[in-house]
Amino acid sequence: MPNTKALLEPEAVAPCCPPLTERPFTAEEAETAARMFKALGDPVRLRLFSAVASHEGGEACVCDISDVGVSQPTVSHHLKKLKEAGLLTSQRRGTWVYYRVEPSVLAAMGKLLTLPAAA
C-alpha cells in the first residue's frame, strides 16, 4: 500500500500542467490536460472515477463499482478510457481487477484549477 502521507505532500505531486492562471499552456500541456478532462467529460466515466476515488482505501474492485446503469462491457470500456487518460491504474488479483486513482491525479488537477494567492 502506498504511503498516504507522501501522496499528500506537494513534492509527491507531478502536475501535468501549471495552474491556468500562471501562464498559457504549451501544446503538450494542453494535450495532456485535454485528455484528462475529455475522459471525465462523460457522466458514466465521471461516476466511475468518483466511485474509485471515494472508495474505502482509495481502491475499488470492478465488482464494487459496476452498478452505474450501463452493461459490464460498457463499464470496462469506460474504465479503459480512464486508464488511457492516466487517471486510473489497475491491478488484476485472481479474476477481479482493482482500480486506484493515479496518486498524483487529484492533487495535480486541483493545482491546475487553483487561483493564485491574493497579494
Side-chain angles (χ1 to χ4, degrees):
M1 181 175 280
N3 177 345
T4 307
K5 183 177 186 285
L7 295 178
L8 298 175
E9 293 174 359
E11 298 78 38
V13 177
C16 72
C17 320
L20 290 171
T21 56
E22 185 177 301
R23 62 170 172 78
F25 283 173
T26 65
E28 184 178 330
E29 291 166 342
E31 283 290 327
T32 301
R35 251 190 324 275
M36 290 190 322
F37 287 115
K38 182 177 180 181
L40 291 174
D42 181 283
V44 172
R45 288 186 202 142
L46 188 54
R47 287 185 67 199
L48 289 168
F49 185 74
S50 173
V52 172
S54 64
H55 202 270
E56 186 176 333
E59 175 180 74
C61 174
V62 69
C63 60
D64 295 328
I65 59 170
S66 59
D67 187 20
V68 292
V70 295
S71 68
Q72 181 55 49
T74 303
V75 168
S76 294
H77 166 76
H78 286 302
L79 289 169
K80 178 183 175 188
K81 292 296 184 183
L82 290 168
K83 279 183 60 178
E84 288 173 350
L87 298 171
L88 296 178
T89 59
S90 67
Q91 181 182 45
R92 180 171 290 282
R93 298 183 199 149
T95 58
W96 296 110
V97 177
Y98 288 78
Y99 290 89
R100 174 177 291 281
V101 172
E102 187 60 33
S104 64
V105 167
L106 292 177
M109 291 176 83
K111 282 190 171 212
L112 176 70
L113 299 173
T114 300
L115 290 173

